[in-house]
């Protein structure tokens, strides 16, 4: 039984970083006419009402999208991402936050394909209500790690995978690695975006190191790692201090975009003086 609901966290600092990277990757993919397939292995509900009791419980979005919603001095990539979020809030007040499937819906072209996997029955139902009838789209209430196999390689041999588990179960770290390795065996050119939480445990660091090594041995264009630490440890050993993403076969535009954006973003999102970011990259 899965307890995690993304509605509690929608629009938080981790969503901001993840969706900033995600939207820029999709922008890059759309620069060539040739179609591509986007596979979202852990899709969530698709979109979230910020007035809901879930989102209001800890109001995490206030320390995420809420910190930049009214800013006018936006770096171009943040302006682009905010412009997409604004399409869900046409009256100008921040009431809704799009998940990765709805951002994809805005950025995919007619010729592109969308594959969405979500295990939780309630979130799957919501996802199906919004995107179930979308053309060129397949939704399944199934394990996204396993489903990935059947989707790679994509027919057009251009593909992006967003792997965004909740890490509610510790085995997710191992499953991510296994799915990435198998995915690259089937399709070494896949652009794979893996999100991870920055928590005070060994697993995230081990995962990042292993993903880098996997990209070096099996990928075609190396890797990029970005991490944003926004909160100080509170002494309990629990809590999320920040989050990061490893992008395998990253578009070349990603590193300069992040270098131009993260100094601004960390000032906007940082909750303590030591807030910081890391950008690492290794090309091939
Ligand atoms: N990608 C979404 C976004 O950016 O808007 C958020 C996804 S949320 C962090 C993770 C989701 O994965 C949850 O909705 C959870 O129910 C779902 N989930 C957990 N294990 C799964 C699995 N093995 N396969 C597919 N979905 C899973």
């Amino acid at each position: 039984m899965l307890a995690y609901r993304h509605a509690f966290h929608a629009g938080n600092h981790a969503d901001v970083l993840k969706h900033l990277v995600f939207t820029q990757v999709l922008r890059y993919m759309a620069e060539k006419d040739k179609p591509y397939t986007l596979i979202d292995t852990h899709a969530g509900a698709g979109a979230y009402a910020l007035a809901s009791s879930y989102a209001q419980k800890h109001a995490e979005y206030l320390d995420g999208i809420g910190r930049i919603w009214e800013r006018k001095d936006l770096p171009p990539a943040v302006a682009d991402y905010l412009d997409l979020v604004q399409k869900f809030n046409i009256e100008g007040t921040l009431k809704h936050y799009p998940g990765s499937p709805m951002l994809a819906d805005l950025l995919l072209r007619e010729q592109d394909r969308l594959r969405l996997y979500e295990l939780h029955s309630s979130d799957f139902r919501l996802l199906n209500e919004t995107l179930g009838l979308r053309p060129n789209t397949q939704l399944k209430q199934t394990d996204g790690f396993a489903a990935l196999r059947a989707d790679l390689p994509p027919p057009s041999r251009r593909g992006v995978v967003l792997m965004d588990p909740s890490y509610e179960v510790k085995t997710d770290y191992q499953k991510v690695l296994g799915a990435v390795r198998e995915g690259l065996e089937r399709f070494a050119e896949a652009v794979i975006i893996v999100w991870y939480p920055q928590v005070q445990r060994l697993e995230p660091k081990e995962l990042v190191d292993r993903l880098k090594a996997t990209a070096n041995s099996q990928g075609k264009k190396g890797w990029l790692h970005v991490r944003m630490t926004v909160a100080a440890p509170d002494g309990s050993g629990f809590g999320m201090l920040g989050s990061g993403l490893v992008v395998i076969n990253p578009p070349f535009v990603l590193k300069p975009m992040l270098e131009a954006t993260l100094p601004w973003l960390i000032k906007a999102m940082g909750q303590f003086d030591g807030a910081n970011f890391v950008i690492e990259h290794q090309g091939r």
Side-chain angles (χ1 to χ4, degrees):
M1 172 77 182
L2 294 171
Y4 181 93
R5 304 294 304 275
H6 196 65
F8 287 109
H9 312 287
N12 69 2
H13 58 81
D15 263 7
V16 171
L17 179 65
K18 171 178 64 190
H19 292 153
L20 176 75
V21 169
F22 180 60
T23 53
Q24 292 305 302
V25 169
L26 298 194
R27 288 276 188 220
Y28 173 82
M29 294 300 287
E31 281 175 16
K32 281 192 194 154
D33 289 342
K34 203 172 167 197
Y36 71 93
T37 301
L38 169 65
I39 304 150
D40 193 345
T41 58
H42 296 68
Y48 305 90
L50 296 177
S52 73
S53 55
Y54 292 100
Q56 287 297 326
K57 183 152 188 209
H58 303 294
E60 290 186 24
Y61 69 96
L62 292 178
D63 267 333
I65 184 81
R67 286 189 174 218
I68 57 176
W69 181 247
E70 295 196 339
R71 293 279 295 262
K72 300 284 177 251
D73 57 333
L74 305 168
V78 180
D80 183 31
Y81 152 71
L82 269 192
D83 196 45
L84 296 169
V85 180
Q86 268 156 7
K87 294 195 185 337
F88 296 87
N89 296 282
I90 46 174
E91 285 162 14
T93 311
L94 180 61
K95 289 185 178 166
H96 299 101
Y97 188 77
S100 48
M102 291 306 272
L103 290 169
D105 181 49
L106 289 179
L107 294 174
L108 264 63
R109 304 154 304 168
E110 248 176 53
Q111 66 266 41
D112 302 322
R113 293 166 176 229
L114 181 58
R115 299 283 178 266
L116 301 170
Y117 301 107
E118 170 55 48
L119 215 42
H120 197 289
S121 55
S122 307
D123 281 353
F124 182 79
R125 187 176 42 75
L126 293 168
L127 187 64
N128 202 25
E129 277 169 16
T130 39
L131 290 172
L133 295 177
R134 187 181 187 279
N136 274 345
T137 301
Q138 179 186 290
L139 291 83
K140 278 195 188 157
Q141 187 187 344
T142 191
D143 177 8
F145 292 122
L148 186 58
R149 277 185 211 122
D151 288 330
L152 295 178
S156 64
R157 303 203 73 85
R158 294 186 79 215
V160 177
V161 179
L162 174 64
M163 207 175 285
D164 181 24
S166 51
Y167 299 92
E168 183 183 358
V169 273
K170 225 166 68 174
T171 48
D172 273 358
Y173 290 97
Q174 199 51 45
K175 284 187 179 174
V176 165
L177 191 66
V180 168
R181 284 178 178 159
E182 197 179 339
L184 289 173
E185 261 167 40
R186 301 176 76 87
F187 183 45
E189 292 84 0
V191 179
I192 307 182
I193 306 168
V194 175
W195 179 85
Y196 72 90
Q198 188 186 358
V199 288
Q200 295 170 78
R201 305 166 63 124
L202 267 183
E203 286 90 345
K205 188 183 173 330
E206 281 175 358
L207 177 64
V208 171
D209 289 345
R210 289 173 182 164
L211 287 173
K212 288 175 182 172
T214 301
N216 286 340
S217 62
Q218 289 183 248
K220 292 276 184 200
K221 294 187 184 159
W223 50 264
L224 180 144
H225 171 223
V226 55
R227 189 184 70 218
M228 191 168 79
T229 307
V230 299
D234 64 3
S236 71
F238 296 107
M240 191 164 77
L241 309 183
S243 66
L245 299 147
V246 176
V247 185
I248 296 171
N249 296 321
F252 73 96
V253 291
L254 211 51
K255 183 169 178 253
M257 181 283 285
L258 289 168
E259 284 170 346
T261 308
L262 266 285
W264 182 93
L265 197 60
I266 197 67
K267 273 195 202 146
M269 296 282 156
Q271 300 170 21
F272 75 124
D273 286 346
N276 65 83
F277 66 87
V278 168
I279 301 169
E280 301 174 291
H281 171 249
Q282 189 165 314
R284 291 191 74 194

